[in-house]
Amino acid sequence: MGSIAAPSTSVFTAAHVAQAPEDPLFGLMRAYRQDPSDKKVDLGIGAYRDDNAKPWILPVVKKAEDILRNDPNLNHEYLPIAGLAEFTSAAQRLIFGADSPAIQEKRVSTLQTISGTGAVHLGGLFLAKFHPHQPRPPVYLSNPTWANHNQIFTNVGLSIATYPYFSAKTKGLDIDGMLGTLRTAPEGSIIVLHACAHNPTGVDPTQEQWKQIAAVIRERQHFPFFDCAYQGFASGDLARDAWAIRYFVEEGFELCVAQSFAKNFGLYGERAGAFHFVSAPGAEATTANQHVASQLAVLQRSEISNPPAYGARIASLILNDPQLFAEWEEDLRTMSGRIIEMRRGLRQRLEEKGTPGSWDHVTSQIGMFSFTGLTEEQVKILREKWHVYMTKNGRISMAGLNTHNIDYFAEAVDSVVRETQTASA
């Protein structure tokens, strides 16, 4: 027998491939799961939980799944590159409104994506490749923003800048700081905007403030890139949560939208989403949009080839059936209503205890997340002493609160705020 050759030396050694840091949110989830305490509270999870802290399958989604299972024509063939047509057309109507001028004038290109993350990535990739400015303009993100925004845009070769957003003093929107930075940003910059239920702060502009933002973006010829992960989930009203996007479209902006169906349908693992590019109105708008759609399809083909079918089929059934759509709206009100109730309950308990500081921001913020104003030191004590898990910047998922743990959490916050206040006195 011949001797066995010695294994070749790896090119990808530890010296060449550094150990990547663990994703902070997934690290937090792992620590929570390993905690043996029966009092532990998970306020880091970015997914809806019912009053028993369990995942909730929307009743209307269960109905749609039954319809799919009993469909004799159902198969597992590839979808087209752009996705399920009845899903993408319904996604357009949902986000822009059925009477949107952009839809009527055929100025919208839509591709089904791997949820909102895939939509942001596809949009970033398109802008990195086809934006006419040389060098490519910076992408302006709110400070703070969804952490994955930074990585997605950086990975496609776009530079990142930030605009002020959250005011630590008021725990609300720093509108003056935001507008000031947008005015001084290089002309034609890409401005990423959260359509509703801003992640991670829960702070949204008013409609009047949105008009101010639009005016500055128009003045500086910036390109708006909306990220919409919570339509209908934020306020329970689909039209209200899409107001900013529809206003910008009606004002004639060229823009794009990343749309997720993870939260508002509870389809977290099915990764159903859509990317929309809206061309500016004009004589060449339809042709320009066709060209955009063709290039998006090329990018999609090289990335995922075809999007997954199951989640899109569920959403499509519901979006295109008036009765199921009405039931879905009721499910949205159930989810948003429970979160609103938890906001009221937490604020009431902290105010009744006389917890130092102002807590009105708990109810003025909206959506799944709240920026509590708790410091990194306070968050650490809450985790080590009270087994309460949240991100170190003090962001909590309101969906993690329920009638069984809200009193415990309020007691923990009150204790830690008083303890750290006394220590620093």
Side-chain angles (χ1 to χ4, degrees):
M1 293 179 64
S3 60
I4 299 174
S8 60
T9 303
S10 172
V11 175
F12 300 98
T13 64
H16 290 89
V17 183
Q19 174 72 39
E22 182 177 41
D23 183 283
L25 191 55
F26 285 88
L28 187 71
M29 292 166 62
R30 179 180 51 78
Y32 170 81
R33 287 194 297 268
Q34 293 173 353
D35 189 333
S37 173
D38 61 353
K39 291 185 178 295
K40 64 182 180 180
V41 180
D42 180 9
L43 300 181
I45 184 68
Y48 181 78
R49 294 291 180 261
D50 65 15
D51 196 50
N52 292 310
K54 301 295 184 185
W56 191 58
I57 301 176
L58 277 62
V60 74
V61 167
K62 287 184 178 181
K63 281 191 177 183
E65 288 180 311
D66 288 340
I67 293 170
L68 282 176
R69 275 194 295 270
N70 294 314
D71 182 354
N73 298 313
L74 183 68
N75 58 54
H76 298 289
E77 293 295 295
Y78 290 120
L79 291 182
I81 293 172
L84 188 68
E86 50 266 45
F87 167 74
T88 54
S89 60
Q92 282 184 6
R93 294 192 299 272
L94 184 72
I95 198 76
F96 300 115
D99 58 349
S100 171
I103 295 176
Q104 293 173 353
E105 295 161 15
K106 302 189 186 311
R107 294 189 284 112
V108 186
S109 296
T110 300
L111 272 74
Q112 182 187 330
T113 58
I114 308 293
S115 201
T117 302
V120 173
H121 174 74
L122 182 62
L125 200 60
F126 176 83
L127 293 172
K129 188 167 184 179
F130 292 103
H131 198 290
H133 288 191
Q134 291 290 347
R136 302 292 186 236
V139 175
Y140 274 79
L141 305 172
S142 63
N143 182 22
T145 192
W146 179 47
N148 216 14
H149 277 153
N150 295 277
Q151 189 160 279
I152 292 170
F153 289 110
T154 301
N155 282 354
V156 299
L158 294 170
S159 61
I160 299 295
T162 62
Y163 57 84
Y165 191 84
F166 182 76
S167 167
K169 182 178 180 180
T170 66
K171 299 182 179 65
L173 178 64
D174 180 5
I175 185 64
D176 292 335
M178 178 180 181
L179 294 177
T181 296
L182 295 185
R183 285 191 182 99
T184 58
E187 191 172 279
S189 295
I190 299 161
I191 313 298
V192 175
L193 303 162
H194 298 229
C196 62
H198 182 273
N199 180 1
T201 69
V203 174
D204 285 353
T206 64
Q207 291 185 4
E208 215 39 59
Q209 288 170 333
W210 273 121
K211 291 178 181 179
Q212 292 177 270
I213 294 165
V216 174
I217 289 177
R218 182 186 299 284
E219 172 191 326
R220 299 292 297 159
Q221 298 182 42
H222 296 323
F223 181 82
F225 190 139
F226 280 96
D227 191 356
C228 186
Y230 299 95
Q231 186 186 1
F233 190 98
S235 68
D237 185 325
L238 290 160
R240 175 182 168 185
D241 292 346
W243 187 90
I245 292 173
R246 295 179 184 183
Y247 175 77
F248 272 67
V249 170
E250 288 164 5
E251 290 293 300
F253 280 91
E254 187 165 57
L255 54 82
C256 62
V257 181
Q259 182 183 22
S260 169
F261 291 89
K263 309 296 192 299
N264 54 12
F265 276 95
L267 294 171
Y268 302 99
E270 305 306 337
R271 315 311 291 142
F275 175 76
H276 310 272
F277 190 97
V278 181
S279 295
E284 296 184 2
T286 303
T287 302
N289 204 261
Q290 289 171 348
H291 288 196
V292 169
S294 70
Q295 293 294 349
L296 287 169
V298 170
L299 295 175
Q300 176 106 308
R301 173 69 169 150
S302 66
E303 294 262 313
I304 63 170
S305 193
N306 315 78
Y310 187 66
R313 284 177 173 150
I314 291 172
S316 179
L317 277 173
I318 296 166
L319 292 172
N320 287 294
D321 183 291
Q323 182 177 335
L324 293 178
F325 189 92
E327 292 179 32
W328 176 51
E329 288 185 298
E330 188 58 38
D331 291 345
L332 287 170
R333 286 189 284 271
T334 295
M335 291 190 289
S336 61
R338 198 187 80 73
I339 287 177
I340 290 168
E341 191 56 39
M342 288 300 101
R343 287 185 178 279
R344 290 176 183 151
L346 178 58
R347 177 181 173 181
Q348 179 184 349
R349 284 163 173 79
L350 293 173
E351 290 179 343
E352 285 176 352
K353 290 176 181 294
T355 307
S358 171
W359 300 98
D360 57 355
H361 60 281
V362 175
T363 53
S364 64
Q365 295 170 4
I366 193 173
M368 182 177 287
F369 301 114
S370 175
F371 243 37
T372 59
L374 296 169
T375 66
E376 191 170 336
E377 177 194 5
Q378 291 167 335
V379 169
K380 183 180 179 183
I381 297 171
L382 282 166
R383 176 172 165 176
E384 294 175 349
K385 182 177 179 179
W386 294 84
H387 306 277
V388 173
Y389 290 78
M390 66 180 76
T391 55
K392 64 182 182 180
N393 59 10
R395 185 203 80 171
I396 63 172
S397 172
M398 298 303 299
L401 291 178
N402 54 61
T403 57
H404 310 290
N405 64 22
I406 191 170
D407 288 310
Y408 177 77
F409 178 62
E411 179 187 356
V413 170
D414 181 72
S415 171
V416 169
V417 170
R418 293 181 189 279
E419 177 185 336
T420 53
Q421 189 180 64
T422 301
S424 61

